[in-house]
Short mmCIF file of all heavy atoms in Angstrom, two decimals:
data_model
loop_
_atom_site.label_atom_id
_atom_site.label_comp_id
_atom_site.label_asym_id
_atom_site.label_seq_id
_atom_site.Cartn_x
_atom_site.Cartn_y
_atom_site.Cartn_z
N ALA A 8 11.80 -24.02 -10.96
CA ALA A 8 11.67 -24.16 -9.52
C ALA A 8 10.39 -23.49 -9.05
O ALA A 8 10.11 -22.35 -9.42
CB ALA A 8 12.88 -23.51 -8.83
N PRO A 9 9.58 -24.17 -8.25
CA PRO A 9 8.33 -23.57 -7.76
C PRO A 9 8.62 -22.45 -6.77
O PRO A 9 9.62 -22.47 -6.05
CB PRO A 9 7.63 -24.75 -7.08
CG PRO A 9 8.74 -25.65 -6.66
CD PRO A 9 9.80 -25.54 -7.75
N VAL A 10 7.73 -21.48 -6.73
CA VAL A 10 7.85 -20.38 -5.78
C VAL A 10 7.00 -20.72 -4.57
O VAL A 10 5.81 -21.01 -4.69
CB VAL A 10 7.36 -19.06 -6.41
CG1 VAL A 10 7.44 -17.92 -5.39
CG2 VAL A 10 8.19 -18.74 -7.65
N ALA A 11 7.60 -20.67 -3.42
CA ALA A 11 6.89 -21.03 -2.19
C ALA A 11 5.76 -20.04 -1.92
O ALA A 11 5.91 -18.84 -2.13
CB ALA A 11 7.86 -21.05 -1.01
N GLU A 12 4.62 -20.60 -1.44
CA GLU A 12 3.49 -19.73 -1.13
C GLU A 12 3.85 -18.72 -0.06
O GLU A 12 3.36 -17.58 -0.07
CB GLU A 12 2.30 -20.57 -0.68
CG GLU A 12 1.66 -21.38 -1.79
CD GLU A 12 0.41 -22.09 -1.31
OE1 GLU A 12 -0.07 -21.77 -0.21
OE2 GLU A 12 -0.08 -22.96 -2.05
N ASP A 13 4.70 -19.11 0.88
CA ASP A 13 5.11 -18.19 1.94
C ASP A 13 5.85 -16.99 1.37
O ASP A 13 5.69 -15.87 1.84
CB ASP A 13 6.01 -18.91 2.96
CG ASP A 13 5.20 -19.87 3.84
OD1 ASP A 13 3.96 -19.79 3.81
OD2 ASP A 13 5.83 -20.68 4.54
N ASP A 14 6.68 -17.24 0.34
CA ASP A 14 7.42 -16.15 -0.28
C ASP A 14 6.48 -15.17 -0.96
O ASP A 14 6.65 -13.95 -0.87
CB ASP A 14 8.41 -16.70 -1.31
CG ASP A 14 9.56 -17.47 -0.66
OD1 ASP A 14 9.77 -17.26 0.56
OD2 ASP A 14 10.21 -18.26 -1.35
N VAL A 15 5.46 -15.71 -1.65
CA VAL A 15 4.49 -14.85 -2.31
C VAL A 15 3.71 -14.03 -1.29
O VAL A 15 3.47 -12.84 -1.45
CB VAL A 15 3.52 -15.70 -3.17
CG1 VAL A 15 2.40 -14.82 -3.74
CG2 VAL A 15 4.27 -16.40 -4.29
N SER A 16 3.33 -14.68 -0.20
CA SER A 16 2.59 -13.99 0.85
C SER A 16 3.41 -12.88 1.48
O SER A 16 2.91 -11.78 1.74
CB SER A 16 2.16 -15.00 1.93
OG SER A 16 1.47 -14.36 2.97
N LEU A 17 4.69 -13.15 1.71
CA LEU A 17 5.57 -12.13 2.27
C LEU A 17 5.73 -10.95 1.33
O LEU A 17 5.74 -9.79 1.76
CB LEU A 17 6.94 -12.74 2.60
CG LEU A 17 7.02 -13.62 3.84
CD1 LEU A 17 8.38 -14.29 3.93
CD2 LEU A 17 6.75 -12.79 5.10
N ALA A 18 5.86 -11.26 0.03
CA ALA A 18 5.99 -10.19 -0.95
C ALA A 18 4.74 -9.32 -0.97
O ALA A 18 4.82 -8.09 -1.03
CB ALA A 18 6.25 -10.78 -2.34
N TYR A 19 3.59 -9.96 -0.89
CA TYR A 19 2.33 -9.22 -0.90
C TYR A 19 2.21 -8.35 0.35
O TYR A 19 1.91 -7.15 0.26
CB TYR A 19 1.15 -10.19 -0.97
CG TYR A 19 -0.19 -9.51 -0.90
CD1 TYR A 19 -0.77 -8.96 -2.04
CD2 TYR A 19 -0.87 -9.38 0.32
CE1 TYR A 19 -2.00 -8.32 -1.98
CE2 TYR A 19 -2.09 -8.74 0.38
CZ TYR A 19 -2.65 -8.20 -0.76
OH TYR A 19 -3.86 -7.56 -0.69
N GLU A 20 2.44 -8.93 1.51
CA GLU A 20 2.29 -8.18 2.75
C GLU A 20 3.30 -7.04 2.84
O GLU A 20 2.98 -5.94 3.29
CB GLU A 20 2.45 -9.13 3.96
CG GLU A 20 1.35 -10.16 4.08
CD GLU A 20 -0.02 -9.54 4.29
OE1 GLU A 20 -0.08 -8.42 4.84
OE2 GLU A 20 -1.03 -10.18 3.93
N GLY A 21 4.53 -7.33 2.42
CA GLY A 21 5.55 -6.28 2.44
C GLY A 21 5.22 -5.13 1.51
O GLY A 21 5.40 -3.96 1.85
N SER A 22 4.71 -5.48 0.32
CA SER A 22 4.34 -4.45 -0.64
C SER A 22 3.17 -3.61 -0.12
O SER A 22 3.15 -2.39 -0.28
CB SER A 22 3.95 -5.09 -1.98
OG SER A 22 5.06 -5.75 -2.55
N LEU A 23 2.21 -4.26 0.50
CA LEU A 23 1.05 -3.54 1.02
C LEU A 23 1.46 -2.58 2.12
O LEU A 23 0.97 -1.44 2.18
CB LEU A 23 0.02 -4.55 1.54
CG LEU A 23 -1.39 -4.02 1.75
CD1 LEU A 23 -1.98 -3.48 0.46
CD2 LEU A 23 -2.28 -5.11 2.32
N LEU A 24 2.37 -3.01 2.98
CA LEU A 24 2.86 -2.14 4.04
C LEU A 24 3.58 -0.92 3.46
O LEU A 24 3.38 0.22 3.91
CB LEU A 24 3.79 -2.92 4.96
CG LEU A 24 4.39 -2.14 6.14
CD1 LEU A 24 3.30 -1.64 7.07
CD2 LEU A 24 5.38 -3.03 6.91
N ALA A 25 4.40 -1.16 2.43
CA ALA A 25 5.11 -0.05 1.80
C ALA A 25 4.14 0.90 1.09
O ALA A 25 4.32 2.11 1.10
CB ALA A 25 6.14 -0.59 0.80
N LEU A 26 3.09 0.35 0.49
CA LEU A 26 2.08 1.19 -0.16
C LEU A 26 1.37 2.07 0.85
O LEU A 26 1.05 3.24 0.56
CB LEU A 26 1.05 0.32 -0.89
CG LEU A 26 1.49 -0.32 -2.20
CD1 LEU A 26 0.42 -1.28 -2.71
CD2 LEU A 26 1.80 0.74 -3.26
N GLU A 27 1.12 1.56 2.04
CA GLU A 27 0.48 2.37 3.07
C GLU A 27 1.36 3.56 3.45
O GLU A 27 0.86 4.66 3.72
CB GLU A 27 0.20 1.51 4.30
CG GLU A 27 -0.91 0.49 4.07
CD GLU A 27 -1.07 -0.48 5.22
OE1 GLU A 27 -0.25 -0.40 6.17
OE2 GLU A 27 -2.01 -1.30 5.20
N MET A 28 2.67 3.37 3.44
CA MET A 28 3.59 4.47 3.75
C MET A 28 3.55 5.52 2.65
O MET A 28 3.56 6.73 2.92
CB MET A 28 5.00 3.92 3.94
CG MET A 28 5.14 2.96 5.13
SD MET A 28 6.75 2.15 5.22
CE MET A 28 7.81 3.54 5.58
N VAL A 29 3.48 5.06 1.40
CA VAL A 29 3.37 6.00 0.28
C VAL A 29 2.04 6.75 0.36
O VAL A 29 1.97 7.96 0.12
CB VAL A 29 3.51 5.28 -1.07
CG1 VAL A 29 3.32 6.26 -2.23
CG2 VAL A 29 4.87 4.60 -1.18
N GLU A 30 0.98 6.03 0.70
CA GLU A 30 -0.33 6.67 0.85
C GLU A 30 -0.27 7.82 1.86
O GLU A 30 -0.84 8.90 1.64
CB GLU A 30 -1.36 5.64 1.30
CG GLU A 30 -2.75 6.24 1.53
CD GLU A 30 -3.72 5.27 2.16
OE1 GLU A 30 -3.30 4.14 2.51
OE2 GLU A 30 -4.90 5.64 2.31
N ASN A 31 0.40 7.60 2.98
CA ASN A 31 0.52 8.65 3.99
C ASN A 31 1.23 9.88 3.42
O ASN A 31 0.84 11.02 3.72
CB ASN A 31 1.27 8.12 5.21
CG ASN A 31 0.46 7.09 5.99
OD1 ASN A 31 -0.76 7.07 5.93
ND2 ASN A 31 1.16 6.22 6.70
N GLU A 32 2.26 9.65 2.62
CA GLU A 32 2.98 10.76 1.98
C GLU A 32 2.05 11.52 1.03
O GLU A 32 2.08 12.74 0.94
CB GLU A 32 4.19 10.22 1.22
CG GLU A 32 5.29 9.65 2.08
CD GLU A 32 6.19 10.73 2.67
OE1 GLU A 32 6.11 11.88 2.19
OE2 GLU A 32 6.96 10.42 3.58
N MET A 33 1.22 10.78 0.29
CA MET A 33 0.31 11.40 -0.67
C MET A 33 -0.75 12.24 0.04
O MET A 33 -1.07 13.35 -0.38
CB MET A 33 -0.34 10.34 -1.54
CG MET A 33 0.64 9.59 -2.42
SD MET A 33 -0.09 8.15 -3.24
CE MET A 33 -1.11 8.96 -4.48
N ARG A 34 -1.30 11.72 1.13
CA ARG A 34 -2.33 12.46 1.86
C ARG A 34 -1.76 13.73 2.48
O ARG A 34 -2.47 14.74 2.64
CB ARG A 34 -2.96 11.58 2.93
CG ARG A 34 -3.78 10.43 2.35
CD ARG A 34 -4.77 9.89 3.34
NE ARG A 34 -5.54 8.77 2.77
CZ ARG A 34 -6.59 8.92 1.97
NH1 ARG A 34 -6.99 10.14 1.64
NH2 ARG A 34 -7.23 7.87 1.49
N ALA A 35 -0.48 13.71 2.81
CA ALA A 35 0.14 14.88 3.43
C ALA A 35 0.24 16.06 2.48
O ALA A 35 0.28 17.22 2.92
CB ALA A 35 1.53 14.51 3.95
N VAL A 36 0.27 15.79 1.16
CA VAL A 36 0.40 16.89 0.19
C VAL A 36 -0.90 17.18 -0.54
O VAL A 36 -0.99 18.15 -1.29
CB VAL A 36 1.51 16.58 -0.85
CG1 VAL A 36 2.85 16.41 -0.16
CG2 VAL A 36 1.17 15.35 -1.68
N SER A 37 -1.92 16.38 -0.33
CA SER A 37 -3.19 16.57 -1.02
C SER A 37 -3.95 17.75 -0.43
O SER A 37 -3.94 17.96 0.79
CB SER A 37 -4.05 15.30 -0.92
OG SER A 37 -5.34 15.53 -1.45
N ASP A 38 -4.62 18.52 -1.29
CA ASP A 38 -5.44 19.61 -0.78
C ASP A 38 -6.85 19.12 -0.40
O ASP A 38 -7.66 19.87 0.12
CB ASP A 38 -5.55 20.75 -1.80
CG ASP A 38 -6.22 20.32 -3.09
OD1 ASP A 38 -6.45 19.11 -3.28
OD2 ASP A 38 -6.51 21.21 -3.93
N ARG A 39 -7.14 17.83 -0.68
CA ARG A 39 -8.42 17.23 -0.30
C ARG A 39 -8.18 15.84 0.28
O ARG A 39 -8.69 14.84 -0.24
CB ARG A 39 -9.35 17.14 -1.51
CG ARG A 39 -9.71 18.46 -2.13
CD ARG A 39 -10.75 18.26 -3.23
NE ARG A 39 -10.23 17.44 -4.31
CZ ARG A 39 -10.94 16.52 -4.96
NH1 ARG A 39 -12.18 16.26 -4.61
NH2 ARG A 39 -10.41 15.84 -5.97
N PRO A 40 -7.39 15.72 1.35
CA PRO A 40 -7.00 14.39 1.83
C PRO A 40 -8.17 13.52 2.27
O PRO A 40 -8.09 12.30 2.20
CB PRO A 40 -6.08 14.72 3.03
CG PRO A 40 -6.45 16.11 3.44
CD PRO A 40 -6.85 16.80 2.18
N ALA A 41 -9.26 14.13 2.72
CA ALA A 41 -10.38 13.34 3.21
C ALA A 41 -11.34 12.92 2.10
O ALA A 41 -12.07 11.94 2.24
CB ALA A 41 -11.14 14.12 4.28
N SER A 42 -11.35 13.67 0.99
CA SER A 42 -12.35 13.41 -0.04
C SER A 42 -11.84 12.59 -1.21
O SER A 42 -12.62 12.11 -2.03
CB SER A 42 -12.90 14.74 -0.57
OG SER A 42 -11.87 15.53 -1.13
N VAL A 43 -10.53 12.42 -1.33
CA VAL A 43 -9.96 11.62 -2.41
C VAL A 43 -9.67 10.22 -1.88
O VAL A 43 -8.89 10.05 -0.95
CB VAL A 43 -8.67 12.24 -2.98
CG1 VAL A 43 -8.07 11.35 -4.05
CG2 VAL A 43 -8.96 13.62 -3.56
N LYS A 44 -10.29 9.23 -2.49
CA LYS A 44 -10.07 7.85 -2.09
C LYS A 44 -8.76 7.35 -2.67
O LYS A 44 -8.45 7.59 -3.84
CB LYS A 44 -11.23 6.98 -2.59
CG LYS A 44 -11.11 5.51 -2.24
CD LYS A 44 -12.30 4.73 -2.78
CE LYS A 44 -12.20 3.25 -2.45
NZ LYS A 44 -13.35 2.49 -3.01
N ILE A 45 -7.95 6.68 -1.86
CA ILE A 45 -6.70 6.07 -2.34
C ILE A 45 -6.83 4.56 -2.18
O ILE A 45 -6.94 4.05 -1.07
CB ILE A 45 -5.48 6.60 -1.59
CG1 ILE A 45 -5.35 8.13 -1.77
CG2 ILE A 45 -4.21 5.90 -2.09
CD1 ILE A 45 -4.15 8.74 -1.07
N LEU A 46 -6.81 3.87 -3.32
CA LEU A 46 -6.93 2.42 -3.34
C LEU A 46 -5.55 1.81 -3.53
O LEU A 46 -4.81 2.19 -4.44
CB LEU A 46 -7.85 2.00 -4.50
CG LEU A 46 -8.10 0.51 -4.71
CD1 LEU A 46 -8.83 -0.09 -3.51
CD2 LEU A 46 -8.89 0.29 -5.99
#
């Protein structure tokens, strides 16, 4: 069964949003939040 492009797009966008939340948690505990790049 083919996977709908909309489903893939939703998975990507949802994952990216969740990653941004994790990034915020990481910056909160970093001793160099401004100098460490998070990709």
Side-chain angles (χ1 to χ4, degrees):
V10 178
E12 289 186 12
D13 287 348
D14 291 341
V15 174
S16 179
L17 284 172
Y19 176 84
E20 294 298 333
S22 296
L23 197 59
L24 180 62
L26 285 173
E27 290 173 355
M28 297 172 67
V29 177
E30 178 188 5
N31 291 336
E32 292 279 346
M33 295 170 73
R34 292 200 181 279
V36 299
S37 173
D38 62 351
R39 298 186 297 141
S42 60
V43 177
K44 180 180 179 181
I45 300 181
L46 179 64

